Amino acid sequence: MRRAIFPGSFDPITLGHYDIIKRGVTLFDEVIVAIGVNADKKYMFSLEERMNFIKESFKDEPKIKVASYKGLTVDFCKKNNVKFILRGLRNPADFEFEKAIAHTNRDLAPIETVFLLTAAKTSYIASSIVRDVIRNNGDYTKLVPNSVRVK
């Protein structure tokens, strides 16, 4: 079985993430959306909320699972017998950053990173932008799946 993880903080999941995940399931038998937990980071949404946003977005897609983890992504991969990491690229700066991480991950474990270019219509969306729109009472619904709702 070809399994991939799509790691991130997903604070919150965006339409860009959604697009990469949907396209990822055409390449892999299973995609695990893996929410990395970083104790030093301040999140807008709780881990439970972020997991629920993703589960609700993909409730009708059995090939997509949701999990959380602490520590190195490659350790999560080894523990769960995952051979691929799926990543989305929005721009050249993303590529340079992600390339360094991919090389490091391959040095640490026999894990391949697969890059997908984001769709043109979502390439400008970042979770940090969505959070800023939410903080300033803007219409964030154009940037996220329907499952993301602010209380």
Side-chain angles (χ1 to χ4, degrees), residues 120-150:
K121 66 183 178 185
T122 62
S123 65
Y124 67 96
I125 303 172
S127 292
S128 58
I129 292 171
V130 174
R131 290 191 304 271
D132 195 45
V133 170
I134 291 169
R135 272 189 220 96
N136 290 287
N137 300 312
D139 183 8
Y140 66 92
T141 62
K142 300 173 183 180
L143 307 170
V144 297
N146 291 333
S147 64
V148 178
R149 291 293 166 248
V150 176

Side-chain angles (χ1 to χ4, degrees), residues 9-10 34 36 44 46 54 72 92 94 115-117 130 138 142 147:
S9 60
F10 304 102
M44 177 173 272
S46 71
I54 298 165
L72 296 175
D94 277 357
F115 297 110
L116 293 180
L117 297 177
V130 174
K142 300 173 183 180
S147 64

Side-chain angles (χ1 to χ4, degrees), residues 14 32 39 50 61 83 86-87 105 115 121 125 129 141:
T14 69
I32 302 168
R50 291 179 282 149
E61 180 49 76
K83 303 288 184 212
L86 178 63
R87 299 298 295 160
N105 286 340
F115 297 110
K121 66 183 178 185
I125 303 172
I129 292 171
T141 62

